[in-house]
Amino acid sequence: MATTFEAVRAEALFASDLQSSQSPAGRDIRDAVAATLRSLGVKGCAARVASEFGDHPETAVTRMAWALAQVRATYPAVGSKTARAIRAMRRPGAVIAA
């Protein structure tokens, strides 16, 4: 189940100009989410998503699945193993065990 932050970020990525065919990196995802939220706001992103699902449901489903997967990969959950590993890497001299 998506968290509220996850859902908002996925809607912002969905509403952005970034395309899956561009194979965006994490920084590209973060930049697109931030820029879209600044320009459209949370409600504007939700409205764009709703409009696309109404006008083009066959492609909107695929785009939202992509957006959600990208958001989950770019913004790991706070208690996840990935988030703990990232925090551990930030500590000087830290060694990450597999």
Side-chain angles (χ1 to χ4, degrees):
M1 177 171 201
T3 66
T4 302
F5 286 125
E6 204 173 59
V8 167
R9 289 170 175 154
E11 288 177 350
L13 183 57
F14 181 101
S16 76
D17 293 332
L18 204 58
Q19 298 297 312
S20 62
S21 61
Q22 294 172 294
S23 300
R27 172 49 64 196
D28 301 323
I29 300 290
R30 288 177 182 275
D31 289 347
V33 167
T36 305
L37 284 171
R38 273 193 305 274
S39 67
L40 299 178
V42 174
K43 290 181 181 180
C45 290
R48 176 128 347 136
V49 169
S51 175
E52 285 300 311
F53 268 91
D55 295 343
H56 308 286
E58 65 285 353
T59 57
V61 170
T62 303
R63 181 155 175 87
M64 182 51 80
W66 168 79
L68 188 54
Q70 294 303 308
V71 164
R72 285 180 173 159
T74 304
Y75 302 91
V78 173
S80 72
K81 189 174 182 179
T82 303
R84 288 191 304 272
I86 291 168
R87 279 194 304 278
M89 290 185 334
R90 292 181 180 157
R91 288 193 302 260
V95 176
I96 299 174

